Amino acid sequence: MAEQLVTIVNPNVSLTPAPTEWDGDAARLERALRGRIEGEVRFDNGSRALYATDGSNYRQVPIGVVIPRHEADVVNTVALCREFGAPILARGGGTSLAGQCCNVAVVMDFSKYMNQIIEINAAERWARVQPGLVLDVLRKEAAKVGLTFGPDPATHNHCTLGGMIGNNSCGVHSVMAGRTSDNILELDILTYDGDRMTVGAASETELESIVREGGRRGEIYARLKALRDRYGNLVREKYPDIPRRVSGYNLDNLLPENGFNVAQALVGSECTCVLILEAKVRLVKNPEARTLLVLGYPDVYCAGDHIPEVMSAGPIGCEGIDDRLVSYIKRKNIHMQDLKILPEGKGWLLVEFGGDSKQGSDAKARQLMRELKSKNDAPDMLLYDDEKIAAMVWEIRESALGATAFVPGEPVTWEGWEDAAVLPEKVGHYLRAFRKLLDAYGYSCSLYGHFGQGCIHTRIDFKLTTAPGIEHYRNFVHEASDLVLSFGGSLSGEHGDGQSRAELLPKMFGPELIEAFHEFKSIWDPQWMMNPGKVVRAYRLDENLRLGADYKPWAPETHFQFPDDEGSFAHAALRCVGVGNCRRHETKTMCPSYRVTYEEMHSTRGRAHLLFELTKEDVLHDGWRDETVKESLDLCLACKGCKGDCPVNVDLATLKAEFLSHYFEGKLRPRHAYAFGLIDKWAALASRVPGLINLITQLPGLSALAKLAAGMSQERSIPAFAPETFKAWFARRERRNVGGAKVILWGDTFNNYFTPLTAQAAVEALESGGYEVVVPMQHLCCGRPLYDFGMLAMAKRYLQKILTTLEKEIEAGVPIVGLEPSCISVFRDEMCNLLPRDARAKKLKAQTFLLSEFLDKNKEKFSFPHLDAKALVQGHCHHKALFKIETEENVLRRMGVDFETPNNGCCGMAGSFGFESDKFDISSSIAEHELLPHIANAAKSTLILADGFSCREQIAQLTDREALHLAEVMQMSLHNPGRSGDFPERAIRERQRQSVRKSMQRVGFGLALGAVALAMWLLRRS
């Protein structure tokens, strides 16, 4: 292959030609793949659009996508691609930040099926894993035997081992265990030519033996040995001796002093050389205990100056964050509780110590504190002994990538120069010089990262949609590379080269080592078909941009006005930067459907990327009628978990409602859309004859027909209508606290027509604080169910009616308290998006509260008796996303309730989602993920709390328990102060069921009498 190599004359410019894109017959290749593999073959435009980008600035539409079920599928896919001359790209979590995970190739997604731990050997401290395995799954299992996999990037709960090997990932605890390359023992690999082999370390004797054996493996090892011998001294001279050198191929691992470790040499090659079928990874001792110490400095540069003295204390992790990151988090209103517990300062070091006991790890931290206190420039210090609080502080750091993107009031920031690395002792000086360069180019950004190993992260406000802006970006990156190299650093300290930095590698390594890189790739991939155009012989850093100077997205008229996104649907869809938090398997809400399907199209990221592709119009051409987008959104629960959990606040619930509103224009919706979307109207009608309606919906046979008519799953029960509505009860009730401060209790559809006892309890709770409760008697509805089916014109009319009806109360500032989180979220979210210029909407948003919020805000007026009870709290998704759950916890705490709030995600019902005929299985699977096990493990005396009507229904229909609203628990404390023991939680619901049964019996008795009378009349006539 030597004749194919091109000498680099000017190290500032790559003269190697960019790869030519494949022009083969995709249809024939697709048919051949379908006939040969058991996995999934997806060459449709929707799937190609879904995998067109990763977490980087780049976008390349793949030839097609293969999701292999096992190794044989991988082997057969490569064989067919070789036959058709098609390039190959392997993909794990798809979070790569340098463009290495998108290409015009056949993309193989390993994350859905090839994601197993094959073996853990605790005695020898290693594990054998498949490439699609999520890191935290391995860490969780390894922890059971006191071990862990050391490298842990911020994406640890959703990144895959294969992706980590591809990028040579590091993370916080690479201080303790090194890079991924330092933790790989063996790799089972497959070349594009179809050769399979296991590679690892080899002594010089073993190396000679392998070469003598011959065959393809012997040939490869012989050529690698020759490469090493020819370039070894140059590698020793040119490779920077720093902890975080990730750029370039790991030729240093072929040196004799490093054990000629071929597996480690392939780590970080970004799928440009081989495919990984299996990996044997090193496990390290997992510290029995950990202690977090946070140090506050005057600024981030000062924090960087003190790295050497901090690292001398032997921490297992040392991270840095600056005041800009903290400011951005405050503006985005994420982790607000976390920020209150940081020490004073404008730059912070998060220093973690490990030990065999908490006493031991604490002792190390306290020793460092004593040493620092003795100095004149001692930082402000906080030691976190509470593991929960420590986890919250770590979450600030882990959210940094997303938290620094799409910050309100700030320019949009992008990757492109986000992980350069220097020696740890040079961090302070480098940061000052780097900020000076940023200022010279007019760029603003936060600085944070793995300061203990000299790796600096940032996102910069590059202008990537104009030719001058792109040229400015290009010039900056070249100067930034000169700067970091002047410090003896590396272009990449974690995220790899891909396309972002490949063009710059000649500066770092020089032309001879670039030739060595070319030869290294050619040894493994003679046809240059593995992820072409990345790392070597690469595209320019300003090619294949996701946006680019010609970016002019589709700008349709929309119902929502997207005030936080420049009034643009396209900008709202662009928010997703590919972090992939929505692909995590545990904790928080986002994304419920992905946790069941493991499908990219059912993740928040997948849906957002498809909507972005819709606005690009070059792959998806059907606009609002695109069926792939519709299919992707179909399993979106509109839980708003993404708006709360996603660090860039992607709001799929709103985007889904907007899409559906246009998709169904001029078309009939499915019958369940009318049954559930118009529930307020049907409920109002049913309330006139609730006994008759309940007879129809509750009796076997009749209920089956009713469910069929409504498009409801037969496995579900139809909630019964209350014999008397809440508003009817309130109208006949004597007014109390007349003359006191007024508060409007929002009589939502669910608590008015189905569970009025909940609203009655809320009245009693509010009145206990001296408030005069007012309930609007008109038929008013927030329209929440309408959004799920895109009925936005009607939803807007509902809101305008509310604003007109309550105009005087809104103007007077009368607070409105709601019980149903999904309804109140309309006033806090959708209303101002639909009516951004209506001053009444802004006022109403400011004076609308959930019950717990109102009680917490006015806590001096409420004094609920102590309630000796234990409780399990299931937070409604909208509650957690928009309001946060802390106010609920505060109220329970003041009542003395011993509660647990599991971070257990969505219940799976999500309004009407779980009722729909084709959604029962996925709805129940979501509930089984965490909610149902928590309930099953709770004692019968433990109260189950759930403010959401749909949450309570899911619990009632899938368990033998009944959930209560917070209002009912407060009522319980008022009536049974200090009571302990086995609470009759079912009694509250049983009261309503008895009323329903009596109503049904009366109707049934009346119908029977009528039937008898009719029969007697007919007899007399005959």
Side-chain angles (χ1 to χ4, degrees):
M1 293 298 294
E3 69 277 10
Q4 295 187 23
L5 302 180
V6 179
T7 302
I8 307 298
V9 179
N10 181 351
N12 292 330
V13 181
S14 172
L15 297 182
T16 53
T20 57
E21 293 190 353
W22 188 68
D23 59 357
D25 190 334
R28 282 186 59 225
L29 174 57
E30 178 186 10
R31 287 193 298 272
L33 285 166
R34 290 188 185 281
R36 287 275 296 277
I37 74 166
E38 294 180 15
E40 299 168 31
V41 179
R42 303 173 181 178
F43 276 51
D44 60 284
N45 284 348
S47 296
R48 294 170 62 234
L50 194 63
Y51 287 83
T53 190
D54 48 15
S56 72
N57 294 334
Y58 300 100
R59 173 180 179 267
Q60 291 174 278
V61 181
I63 298 166
V65 178
V66 171
I67 303 179
R69 287 186 179 271
H70 41 63
E71 287 184 4
D73 279 350
V74 180
V75 173
N76 287 331
T77 297
V78 171
L80 285 168
C81 286
R82 185 169 64 251
E83 181 182 328
F84 282 81
I88 287 283
L89 166 62
R91 177 170 165 133
T95 61
S96 297
L97 284 162
Q100 58 266 65
C101 213
C102 56
N103 213 327
V104 182
V106 173
V107 174
M108 280 193 279
D109 184 347
F110 286 85
S111 65
K112 185 174 181 180
Y113 298 120
M114 294 183 66
N115 55 17
Q116 301 300 306
I117 298 173
I118 297 167
E119 180 184 1
I120 290 181
N121 187 316
E124 298 181 16
R125 295 189 178 183
W126 55 259
R128 193 171 289 282
V129 301
Q130 291 184 313
L133 176 71
V134 168
L135 171 59
D136 269 5
V137 176
L138 172 61
R139 294 206 305 169
K140 186 175 180 180
E141 290 302 309
K144 295 176 182 177
V145 291
L147 301 173
T148 190
F149 185 73
D152 58 343
T155 54
H156 56 83
N157 56 20
H158 57 281
C159 68
T160 66
L161 268 296
M164 292 180 67
I165 293 167
N167 287 355
N168 200 3
S169 297
C170 302
V172 174
H173 295 106
S174 57
V175 168
M176 175 179 73
R179 303 165 297 172
T180 295
S181 58
D182 301 314
N183 293 275
I184 297 300
L185 301 175
E186 292 178 352
L187 294 176
D188 292 348
I189 59 171
L190 174 70
T191 69
Y192 188 81
D193 285 343
D195 298 299
R196 295 183 63 175
M197 64 188 78
T198 298
V199 297
S203 67
E204 290 300 296
T205 303
E206 290 169 330
L207 175 57
E208 293 298 334
S209 175
I210 292 170
V211 171
R212 282 197 303 272
E213 286 175 6
R216 179 67 171 133
R217 182 168 179 249
E219 176 196 342
I220 288 175
Y221 272 60
R223 294 183 65 186
L224 290 175
K225 180 180 181 296
L227 178 73
R228 177 203 68 183
D229 293 343
R230 195 161 60 253
Y231 291 101
N233 287 334
L234 198 58
V235 168
R236 295 182 183 96
E237 175 191 337
K238 287 282 191 177
Y239 274 48
D241 186 16
I242 61 175
R244 285 296 192 93
R245 193 281 306 159
V246 170
S247 278
Y249 288 137
N250 293 341
L251 301 186
D252 53 331
N253 286 110
L254 297 179
L255 297 175
E257 60 266 33
N258 293 329
F260 197 81
N261 196 314
V262 177
Q264 293 180 355
L266 286 169
V267 174
S269 57
E270 302 177 9
C271 197
T272 60
C273 296
V274 299
L275 284 167
I276 298 161
L277 300 176
E278 199 175 289
K280 183 180 179 181
V281 303
R282 179 171 75 109
L283 300 177
V284 298
K285 189 176 187 301
N286 192 26
E288 295 287 334
R290 301 180 186 226
T291 297
L292 175 64
L293 171 65
V294 178
L295 309 175
Y297 293 91
D299 55 46
V300 72
Y301 317 108
C302 186
D305 292 335
H306 288 79
I307 294 299
E309 66 181 358
V310 171
M311 290 303 295
S312 67
I316 62 172
C318 179
E319 302 290 289
I321 60 175
D322 69 358
D323 57 330
R324 296 193 192 201
L325 172 60
V326 170
S327 170
Y328 294 165
I329 288 175
K330 285 180 178 177
R331 280 192 247 174
K332 299 182 88 167
N333 198 31
I334 53 178
H335 310 306
M336 292 304 291
Q337 290 294 107
D338 314 24
L339 299 179
K340 296 175 184 176
I341 54 178
L342 290 175
E344 292 297 318
K346 292 188 176 180
W348 295 268
L349 293 180
L350 281 60
V351 188
E352 187 176 63
F353 293 90
D356 292 333
S357 66
K358 195 72 170 70
Q359 185 179 11
S361 60
D362 278 356
K364 294 176 186 177
R366 294 188 188 281
Q367 175 61 31
L368 176 60
M369 293 175 75
R370 284 192 292 271
E371 292 175 5
L372 294 177
K373 283 179 182 177
S374 67
K375 300 180 182 294
N376 293 330
D377 56 355
D380 194 30
M381 295 178 261
L382 273 180
L383 186 79
Y384 301 83
D385 273 330
D386 187 319
E387 290 184 9
K388 184 177 180 182
I389 296 177
M392 292 165 62
V393 176
W394 277 119
E395 198 168 352
I396 297 174
R397 166 62 189 88
E398 291 182 356
S399 298
L401 190 157
T404 53
F406 290 87
V407 180
E410 296 288 332
V412 178
T413 59
W414 304 99
E415 67 88 7
W417 188 258
E418 78 293 328
D419 71 321
V422 296
L423 275 171
E425 51 264 38
K426 295 183 179 181
V427 167
H429 296 301
Y430 171 71
L431 288 176
R432 290 181 180 90
F434 184 55
R435 178 65 73 188
K436 186 176 179 181
L437 178 63
L438 288 164
D439 291 343
Y441 272 82
Y443 291 137
S444 173
C445 64
S446 167
L447 300 172
Y448 60 95
H450 310 292
F451 284 17
Q453 289 201 309
C455 181
I456 312 304
H457 290 320
T458 186
R459 289 181 69 86
I460 302 174
D461 52 323
F462 300 126
K463 307 298 184 291
L464 299 179
T465 57
T466 68
I470 293 169
E471 184 65 22
H472 201 56
Y473 150 68
R474 180 179 177 80
N475 293 337
F476 168 81
V477 168
H478 273 275
E479 283 204 50
S481 64
D482 293 337
L483 176 64
V484 74
L485 294 177
S486 74
F487 277 83
S490 174
L491 304 177
S492 172
E494 183 158 40
H495 298 153
D497 300 315
Q499 185 176 341
S500 282
R501 283 172 287 275
E503 176 187 322
L504 306 169
L505 291 178
K507 288 186 175 190
M508 180 172 171
F509 294 101
E512 291 177 274
L513 281 180
I514 294 300
E515 187 168 329
F517 290 168
H518 284 210
E519 187 174 341
F520 182 76
K521 175 176 171 61
S522 296
I523 289 171
W524 296 104
D525 180 27
Q527 299 181 61
W528 284 58
M529 286 294 182
M530 296 296 298
N531 204 11
K534 313 295 171 160
V535 185
V536 290
R537 197 180 294 171
Y539 295 101
R540 286 165 52 107
L541 60 86
D542 52 355
E543 288 183 278
N544 302 322
L545 291 173
R546 187 193 301 202
L547 302 182
D550 59 349
Y551 177 63
K552 292 179 176 56
W554 180 43
E557 289 289 325
T558 57
H559 296 280
F560 287 112
Q561 299 302 298
F562 302 102
D564 296 330
D565 284 290
E566 302 174 1
S568 166
F569 175 86
H571 194 273
L574 182 63
R575 270 184 178 270
C576 179
V577 295
V579 175
N581 277 5
C582 46
R583 288 172 55 96
R584 62 191 170 202
H585 294 184
E586 296 179 344
T587 76
K588 297 200 172 181
T589 305
M590 176 183 73
C591 180
S593 49
Y594 175 78
R595 291 181 186 179
V596 173
T597 67
Y598 285 9
E599 280 283 354
E600 176 71 12
M601 76 182 306
H602 295 143
S603 68
T604 299
R605 182 179 72 181
R607 295 178 180 117
H609 280 181
L610 282 175
L611 289 167
F612 165 76
E613 291 290 333
L614 197 70
T615 68
K616 288 280 289 186
E617 299 187 288
D618 59 348
V619 178
L620 303 181
H621 304 288
D622 295 332
W624 296 124
R625 295 297 172 89
D626 190 274
E627 290 298 332
T628 301
V629 176
K630 170 65 166 56
E631 180 187 357
S632 174
L633 294 172
D634 189 49
L635 291 189
C636 169
L637 284 79
C639 66
K640 289 189 180 288
C642 48
K643 183 155 188 175
D645 292 353
C646 174
V648 288
N649 309 115
V650 173
D651 185 0
L652 250 300
T654 295
L655 293 171
K656 174 184 178 180
E658 187 66 53
F659 177 86
L660 292 180
S661 70
H662 302 284
Y663 178 86
F664 283 114
E665 281 179 0
K667 296 167 63 175
L668 281 174
R669 288 172 167 81
R671 59 184 184 276
H672 65 258
Y674 301 103
F676 298 117
L678 305 177
I679 186 63
D680 69 299
K681 297 183 184 298
W682 302 129
L685 290 172
S687 68
R688 299 179 182 180
V689 283
L692 177 60
I693 299 300
N694 287 335
L695 197 68
I696 295 171
T697 60
Q698 305 302 311
L699 287 179
L702 290 177
S703 65
L705 291 174
K707 286 182 237 182
L708 183 64
M712 185 186 295
S713 169
Q714 292 295 329
E715 287 90 345
R716 290 294 184 187
S717 299
I718 302 176
F721 290 94
E724 181 183 43
T725 68
F726 163 66
K727 289 184 180 180
W729 170 85
F730 190 83
R732 63 179 175 77
R733 181 177 181 269
E734 181 182 346
R735 293 174 62 192
R736 298 180 186 176
N737 298 338
V738 177
K742 284 186 171 59
V743 60
I744 296 174
L745 181 61
W746 182 254
D748 62 87
T749 294
F750 308 106
N751 288 305
N752 182 42
Y753 294 109
F754 295 97
T755 57
L757 296 181
T758 299
Q760 292 172 25
V763 171
E764 190 171 348
L766 290 168
E767 288 179 342
S768 73
Y771 285 93
E772 180 185 358
V773 178
V774 178
V775 177
M777 290 296 143
Q778 303 93 327
H779 180 79
L780 299 176
C781 178
C782 70
R784 162 56 63 200
L786 299 173
Y787 297 90
D788 294 340
F789 307 105
M791 300 176 177
L792 297 185
M794 185 180 293
K796 190 173 181 179
R797 292 196 296 272
Y798 276 33
L799 291 175
Q800 288 168 332
K801 181 181 177 181
I802 291 169
L803 294 173
T804 300
T805 304
L806 300 181
E807 191 162 13
K808 290 182 180 178
E809 289 82 359
I810 294 170
E811 187 60 34
V814 178
I816 296 179
V817 174
L819 306 176
E820 176 58 41
S822 63
C823 294
I824 299 307
S825 70
V826 171
F827 298 141
R828 296 278 277 272
D829 190 7
E830 284 90 352
M831 180 173 62
C832 287
N833 200 337
L834 283 172
L835 306 167
R837 287 174 288 278
D838 194 317
R840 299 171 303 174
K842 293 178 182 177
K843 283 183 65 68
L844 179 57
K845 175 181 178 179
Q847 63 198 64
T848 301
F849 305 92
L850 280 175
L851 178 62
S852 60
E853 284 186 301
F854 186 77
L855 294 173
D856 197 45
K857 178 181 172 65
N858 300 284
K859 51 182 171 288
E860 70 283 350
K861 295 187 178 181
F862 295 95
S863 179
F864 292 99
H866 178 83
L867 189 65
D868 186 10
K870 290 188 176 182
L872 180 70
V873 182
Q874 165 64 21
H876 187 282
C877 293
H878 291 189
H879 192 163
K880 291 181 286 189
L882 299 178
F883 308 97
K884 309 308 177 188
I885 205 75
E886 286 81 9
T887 57
E888 188 104 351
E889 295 174 341
N890 291 342
V891 172
L892 291 170
R893 202 171 284 116
R894 284 198 296 276
M895 284 195 293
V897 176
D898 179 11
F899 65 88
E900 178 189 0
T901 313
N903 207 353
N904 53 11
C906 182
C907 72
M909 186 66 90
S912 66
F913 180 90
F915 282 104
E916 294 172 24
S917 58
D918 59 342
K919 304 291 189 350
F920 177 78
D921 287 342
I922 192 166
S923 172
S924 55
S925 294
I926 291 169
E928 287 282 0
H929 189 75
E930 287 195 55
L931 172 62
L932 298 188
H934 277 295
I935 292 176
N937 292 331
K940 291 298 181 183
S941 59
T942 299
L943 299 175
I944 310 296
L945 265 71
D947 288 353
F949 175 79
S950 57
C951 301
R952 296 197 298 274
E953 276 299 311
Q954 182 78 309
I955 292 167
Q957 296 200 21
L958 296 183
T959 75
D960 62 350
R961 303 296 299 273
E962 298 282 349
L964 303 177
H965 192 284
L966 176 66
E968 294 167 321
V969 176
M970 290 187 289
Q971 184 186 52
M972 188 182 290
S973 83
L974 290 171
H975 288 206
N976 305 284
R979 181 175 177 178
S980 63
D982 195 8
F983 281 96
E985 64 178 49
R986 301 176 70 92
I988 293 177
R989 298 283 173 258
E990 188 59 30
R991 283 168 52 197
Q992 179 160 321
R993 276 195 290 271
Q994 287 175 2
S995 297
V996 168
R997 283 195 291 269
K998 287 178 182 178
S999 175
M1000 290 171 60
Q1001 287 167 2
R1002 286 194 294 268
V1003 171
F1005 185 66
L1007 290 173
L1009 285 178
V1012 171
L1014 179 61
M1016 291 177 66
W1017 180 79
L1018 290 172
L1019 284 171
R1020 284 198 300 271
R1021 289 288 302 251
S1022 63

